[in-house]
């Protein structure tokens, strides 16, 4: 599976951004797609995942409802809608896939290159 993350950019605090994770090579319908983020000097943190078969989503506690993960089966793409962004959301955001639900980066088999999100205060 090849993954391409896009949609990052510069946004003001309180604004919104939508990230996309487009897949090729295989359909995402039998995979779990996760979003992770990594800020400079920090570890890669789990953000959210979606089970593309069931549609079930799970989020990191710190998000407190600000982000929403969704899928478009026809486009073989998963999205991360980011609302009410904060400067601490600044990071490179990565999408990845695995066969099982997981919040641990090491469980994910395929990774995209990442897209930079910068939130200004």
């Amino acid at each position: 599976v090849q993954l391409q993350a896009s949609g990052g950019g510069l946004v003001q605090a309180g604004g919104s951004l939508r990230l996309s994770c487009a897949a090729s090579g295989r359909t995402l319908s039998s995979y779990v797609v996760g979003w992770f983020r990594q800020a400079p000097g920090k570890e890669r943190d789990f953000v959210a995942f979606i089970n593309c078969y069931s549609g079930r989503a799970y989020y990191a506690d710190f998000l407190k409802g600000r982000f929403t993960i969704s899928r478009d089966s026809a486009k073989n793409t998963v999205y991360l809608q980011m609302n009410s962004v904060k400067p601490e959301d600044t990071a490179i955001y990565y999408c990845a896939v695995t066969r099982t639900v997981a919040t641990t980066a090491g469980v994910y088999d395929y990774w995209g290159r990442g897209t930079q999100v910068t939130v200004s205060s």
Side-chain angles (χ1 to χ4, degrees):
V1 180
Q2 291 79 45
L3 303 173
Q4 179 65 53
S6 62
L10 177 64
V11 60
Q12 288 189 332
S16 298
L17 209 58
R18 190 179 77 160
L19 306 184
S20 299
C21 177
S24 59
R26 293 185 184 178
T27 178
L28 290 177
S29 61
S30 59
Y31 285 94
V32 172
V33 178
W35 283 98
F36 291 78
R37 70 186 189 184
Q38 188 166 19
K42 296 189 177 182
E43 294 184 351
R44 191 167 296 189
D45 291 330
F46 167 75
V47 174
F49 72 65
I50 186 166
N51 182 327
C52 290
Y53 178 75
S54 67
R56 177 195 170 217
Y58 183 80
Y59 301 90
D61 290 340
F62 65 81
L63 291 178
K64 297 185 179 181
R66 296 186 295 118
F67 295 2
T68 302
I69 191 170
S70 62
R71 73 198 192 288
D72 185 329
S73 300
K75 295 183 178 180
N76 212 30
T77 298
V78 168
Y79 302 99
L80 184 69
Q81 178 67 42
M82 305 170 61
N83 297 329
S84 302
V85 295
K86 304 175 181 180
E88 51 264 43
D89 293 323
T90 295
I92 299 174
Y93 283 72
Y94 298 89
C95 61
V97 298
T98 182
R99 289 287 191 179
T100 185
V101 293
T103 62
T104 305
V107 177
Y108 285 75
D109 303 303
Y110 303 96
W111 291 80
R113 281 197 172 186
T115 184
Q116 175 72 47
V117 172
T118 303
V119 183
S120 63
S121 58

